[in-house]
Short mmCIF file of all heavy atoms in Angstrom, two decimals:
data_model
loop_
_atom_site.label_atom_id
_atom_site.label_comp_id
_atom_site.label_asym_id
_atom_site.label_seq_id
_atom_site.Cartn_x
_atom_site.Cartn_y
_atom_site.Cartn_z
N LYS Y 63 80.62 125.08 60.18
CA LYS Y 63 80.61 126.39 59.72
C LYS Y 63 79.80 126.63 58.55
O LYS Y 63 79.17 127.69 58.31
CB LYS Y 63 82.18 126.80 59.49
CG LYS Y 63 82.93 126.96 60.77
CD LYS Y 63 84.49 127.34 60.53
CE LYS Y 63 85.33 127.11 61.82
NZ LYS Y 63 86.29 128.06 62.06
N GLU Y 64 79.97 125.63 57.53
CA GLU Y 64 79.15 125.78 56.34
C GLU Y 64 77.62 125.76 56.54
O GLU Y 64 76.79 126.37 56.00
CB GLU Y 64 79.66 124.64 55.37
CG GLU Y 64 80.97 125.07 54.65
CD GLU Y 64 81.37 123.98 53.84
OE1 GLU Y 64 80.77 123.08 53.31
OE2 GLU Y 64 82.70 123.88 53.54
N MET Y 65 77.25 124.86 57.55
CA MET Y 65 75.80 124.76 57.89
C MET Y 65 75.36 126.08 58.47
O MET Y 65 74.26 126.59 58.02
CB MET Y 65 75.63 123.67 58.87
CG MET Y 65 74.12 123.58 59.47
SD MET Y 65 73.87 122.45 60.73
CE MET Y 65 74.74 123.23 62.10
N TRP Y 66 76.15 126.66 59.25
CA TRP Y 66 75.54 127.91 59.81
C TRP Y 66 75.59 129.12 58.78
O TRP Y 66 74.74 129.90 58.82
CB TRP Y 66 76.50 128.36 61.06
CG TRP Y 66 76.09 127.54 62.29
CD1 TRP Y 66 76.84 126.49 62.83
CD2 TRP Y 66 74.89 127.68 63.00
NE1 TRP Y 66 76.15 126.04 63.89
CE2 TRP Y 66 74.92 126.72 64.05
CE3 TRP Y 66 73.83 128.45 62.93
CZ2 TRP Y 66 73.94 126.54 65.00
CZ3 TRP Y 66 72.73 128.39 63.81
CH2 TRP Y 66 72.89 127.37 64.77
N GLN Y 67 76.56 129.06 57.87
CA GLN Y 67 76.51 130.01 56.70
C GLN Y 67 75.22 129.72 55.80
O GLN Y 67 74.56 130.72 55.35
CB GLN Y 67 77.67 129.99 55.86
CG GLN Y 67 77.88 130.86 54.72
CD GLN Y 67 77.71 132.37 55.13
OE1 GLN Y 67 77.94 132.70 56.31
NE2 GLN Y 67 77.22 133.13 54.13
N ARG Y 68 74.79 128.57 55.81
CA ARG Y 68 73.41 128.16 55.02
C ARG Y 68 72.28 128.74 55.84
O ARG Y 68 71.21 129.34 55.25
CB ARG Y 68 73.24 126.81 54.71
CG ARG Y 68 74.21 126.23 53.61
CD ARG Y 68 73.78 124.86 53.02
NE ARG Y 68 73.57 123.94 54.14
CZ ARG Y 68 74.62 123.15 54.63
NH1 ARG Y 68 75.80 123.21 54.06
NH2 ARG Y 68 74.46 122.32 55.46
N LEU Y 69 72.26 128.38 57.11
CA LEU Y 69 71.04 128.72 57.97
C LEU Y 69 70.90 130.20 58.25
O LEU Y 69 69.82 130.55 58.35
CB LEU Y 69 71.12 127.93 59.27
CG LEU Y 69 71.25 126.39 59.28
CD1 LEU Y 69 71.26 125.81 60.71
CD2 LEU Y 69 70.13 125.76 58.48
N ALA Y 70 72.05 130.94 58.51
CA ALA Y 70 71.90 132.36 58.79
C ALA Y 70 73.14 132.98 58.13
O ALA Y 70 74.07 133.23 58.88
CB ALA Y 70 71.91 132.41 60.33
N PRO Y 71 72.94 133.32 56.90
CA PRO Y 71 74.03 133.80 56.15
C PRO Y 71 74.64 135.14 56.69
O PRO Y 71 73.90 135.98 57.29
CB PRO Y 71 73.60 134.10 54.82
CG PRO Y 71 72.27 133.19 54.61
CD PRO Y 71 71.77 133.21 56.10
N GLU Y 72 75.91 135.29 56.59
CA GLU Y 72 76.67 136.57 57.02
C GLU Y 72 76.30 137.65 56.13
O GLU Y 72 76.09 138.88 56.50
CB GLU Y 72 78.20 136.35 56.97
CG GLU Y 72 78.94 136.95 58.04
CD GLU Y 72 80.32 136.42 58.12
OE1 GLU Y 72 80.65 135.29 58.05
OE2 GLU Y 72 81.22 137.38 58.34
N ASN Y 73 76.15 137.40 54.83
CA ASN Y 73 76.02 138.42 53.86
C ASN Y 73 74.56 138.67 53.28
O ASN Y 73 74.32 139.05 52.18
CB ASN Y 73 76.84 138.04 52.61
CG ASN Y 73 76.56 136.66 52.13
OD1 ASN Y 73 75.79 135.84 52.87
ND2 ASN Y 73 77.04 136.41 50.97
N ILE Y 74 73.56 138.71 54.17
CA ILE Y 74 72.25 139.25 53.86
C ILE Y 74 71.79 140.35 54.78
O ILE Y 74 72.51 140.49 55.82
CB ILE Y 74 71.12 138.07 53.92
CG1 ILE Y 74 70.98 137.53 55.29
CG2 ILE Y 74 71.51 136.91 52.87
CD1 ILE Y 74 69.83 136.55 55.54
N PRO Y 75 70.86 141.18 54.44
CA PRO Y 75 70.59 142.35 55.29
C PRO Y 75 70.01 141.92 56.68
O PRO Y 75 69.09 141.05 56.66
CB PRO Y 75 69.62 143.15 54.58
CG PRO Y 75 69.58 142.55 53.16
CD PRO Y 75 70.12 141.18 53.30
N TYR Y 76 70.43 142.56 57.64
CA TYR Y 76 69.76 142.22 58.96
C TYR Y 76 69.18 143.61 59.58
O TYR Y 76 69.89 144.67 59.68
CB TYR Y 76 70.77 141.63 59.99
CG TYR Y 76 70.95 140.08 59.68
CD1 TYR Y 76 72.11 139.84 58.91
CD2 TYR Y 76 70.00 139.07 59.96
CE1 TYR Y 76 72.50 138.46 58.53
CE2 TYR Y 76 70.34 137.89 59.51
CZ TYR Y 76 71.54 137.48 58.76
OH TYR Y 76 71.64 136.21 58.52
N GLY Y 77 67.94 143.60 60.35
CA GLY Y 77 67.49 144.70 60.98
C GLY Y 77 68.43 145.19 62.12
O GLY Y 77 68.54 146.27 62.35
N HIS Y 78 69.04 144.13 62.69
CA HIS Y 78 70.04 144.56 63.88
C HIS Y 78 71.18 145.37 63.37
O HIS Y 78 71.49 146.37 63.96
CB HIS Y 78 70.54 143.21 64.53
CG HIS Y 78 71.49 143.51 65.63
ND1 HIS Y 78 71.06 143.98 66.79
CD2 HIS Y 78 72.80 143.28 65.72
CE1 HIS Y 78 72.12 144.01 67.70
NE2 HIS Y 78 73.16 143.62 67.00
N ASP Y 79 71.58 145.07 62.15
CA ASP Y 79 72.70 145.78 61.60
C ASP Y 79 72.35 147.15 61.21
O ASP Y 79 73.04 148.14 61.43
CB ASP Y 79 73.41 145.05 60.47
CG ASP Y 79 74.07 143.69 61.00
OD1 ASP Y 79 74.25 143.51 62.08
OD2 ASP Y 79 74.08 142.78 60.10
N ARG Y 80 71.11 147.23 60.61
CA ARG Y 80 70.56 148.60 60.18
C ARG Y 80 70.58 149.51 61.45
O ARG Y 80 70.78 150.75 61.47
CB ARG Y 80 69.29 148.44 59.51
CG ARG Y 80 69.34 148.13 58.01
CD ARG Y 80 67.98 148.36 57.32
NE ARG Y 80 67.07 147.33 57.75
CZ ARG Y 80 66.91 146.14 57.36
NH1 ARG Y 80 67.72 145.69 56.32
NH2 ARG Y 80 65.94 145.26 57.95
N ALA Y 81 70.06 148.93 62.59
CA ALA Y 81 69.80 149.74 63.74
C ALA Y 81 71.17 150.19 64.47
O ALA Y 81 71.25 151.12 64.99
CB ALA Y 81 68.91 149.03 64.67
N TRP Y 82 72.01 149.08 64.64
CA TRP Y 82 73.13 149.26 65.51
C TRP Y 82 74.53 149.39 64.82
O TRP Y 82 75.53 149.71 65.33
CB TRP Y 82 73.21 148.13 66.52
CG TRP Y 82 72.00 147.98 67.19
CD1 TRP Y 82 70.93 147.29 67.01
CD2 TRP Y 82 71.60 148.84 68.37
NE1 TRP Y 82 69.74 147.47 67.97
CE2 TRP Y 82 70.25 148.44 68.93
CE3 TRP Y 82 72.25 149.76 69.16
CZ2 TRP Y 82 69.73 149.13 69.93
CZ3 TRP Y 82 71.66 150.28 70.30
CH2 TRP Y 82 70.31 149.98 70.60
N GLY Y 83 74.52 148.85 63.49
CA GLY Y 83 75.72 148.99 62.65
C GLY Y 83 76.92 148.09 63.04
O GLY Y 83 78.10 148.51 62.72
N ASP Y 84 76.61 147.25 63.92
CA ASP Y 84 77.91 146.39 64.27
C ASP Y 84 77.98 145.18 63.51
O ASP Y 84 79.00 144.43 63.72
CB ASP Y 84 77.81 145.95 65.94
CG ASP Y 84 76.39 145.62 66.33
OD1 ASP Y 84 75.61 145.41 65.53
OD2 ASP Y 84 76.30 145.56 67.52
N GLY Y 85 77.14 144.82 62.48
CA GLY Y 85 77.52 143.89 61.53
C GLY Y 85 77.50 142.50 62.00
O GLY Y 85 77.82 141.54 61.25
N ASN Y 86 76.74 142.33 63.17
CA ASN Y 86 76.69 140.86 63.65
C ASN Y 86 75.39 140.44 63.87
O ASN Y 86 75.10 139.56 64.70
CB ASN Y 86 77.63 140.77 65.06
CG ASN Y 86 76.99 141.59 66.09
OD1 ASN Y 86 75.96 142.27 65.98
ND2 ASN Y 86 77.58 141.28 67.31
N GLY Y 87 74.37 140.77 63.09
CA GLY Y 87 73.10 140.30 63.15
C GLY Y 87 73.05 138.78 62.92
O GLY Y 87 72.32 138.19 63.67
N HIS Y 88 73.77 138.23 62.02
CA HIS Y 88 73.90 136.85 61.90
C HIS Y 88 74.33 136.12 63.13
O HIS Y 88 74.01 135.07 63.35
CB HIS Y 88 74.74 136.52 60.60
CG HIS Y 88 76.23 136.77 60.79
ND1 HIS Y 88 76.71 138.04 60.76
CD2 HIS Y 88 77.25 136.08 61.10
CE1 HIS Y 88 77.95 138.15 60.97
NE2 HIS Y 88 78.38 136.82 61.16
N SER Y 89 75.35 136.62 63.80
CA SER Y 89 75.87 136.10 65.08
C SER Y 89 74.71 135.99 66.06
O SER Y 89 74.67 134.87 66.71
CB SER Y 89 77.00 137.01 65.60
OG SER Y 89 77.71 137.54 64.59
N HIS Y 90 73.85 136.93 66.17
CA HIS Y 90 72.89 136.93 67.15
C HIS Y 90 71.86 135.91 66.84
O HIS Y 90 71.37 135.13 67.77
CB HIS Y 90 72.03 138.25 67.19
CG HIS Y 90 72.87 139.39 68.05
ND1 HIS Y 90 72.66 139.46 69.43
CD2 HIS Y 90 73.66 140.28 67.64
CE1 HIS Y 90 73.47 140.53 69.75
NE2 HIS Y 90 74.06 141.03 68.83
N ILE Y 91 71.36 135.86 65.59
CA ILE Y 91 70.24 134.84 65.43
C ILE Y 91 70.82 133.48 65.40
O ILE Y 91 70.11 132.45 65.77
CB ILE Y 91 69.53 135.14 64.05
CG1 ILE Y 91 70.42 135.05 62.77
CG2 ILE Y 91 68.87 136.60 64.07
CD1 ILE Y 91 69.63 135.07 61.46
N ARG Y 92 72.10 133.23 65.00
CA ARG Y 92 72.60 131.83 65.11
C ARG Y 92 72.67 131.38 66.60
O ARG Y 92 72.28 130.39 66.94
CB ARG Y 92 74.10 131.94 64.54
CG ARG Y 92 74.20 132.02 63.03
CD ARG Y 92 75.66 132.08 62.68
NE ARG Y 92 75.66 132.36 61.21
CZ ARG Y 92 76.88 132.26 60.53
NH1 ARG Y 92 77.85 131.91 60.94
NH2 ARG Y 92 76.88 132.51 59.20
N ALA Y 93 73.09 132.31 67.48
CA ALA Y 93 73.22 132.00 68.83
C ALA Y 93 71.84 131.83 69.49
O ALA Y 93 71.61 130.88 70.31
CB ALA Y 93 73.67 133.17 69.59
#
Side-chain angles (χ1 to χ4, degrees):
Chain Y
K63 290 179 194 219
E64 287 174 20
M65 175 183 68
W66 283 106
Q67 181 57 23
R68 287 195 305 273
L69 299 185
E72 216 170 315
N73 51 344
I74 62 172
Y76 289 101
H78 181 70
D79 297 338
R80 276 192 295 275
W82 303 94
D84 41 12
N86 67 354
H88 65 285
S89 321
H90 280 274
I91 67 168
R92 291 176 186 192

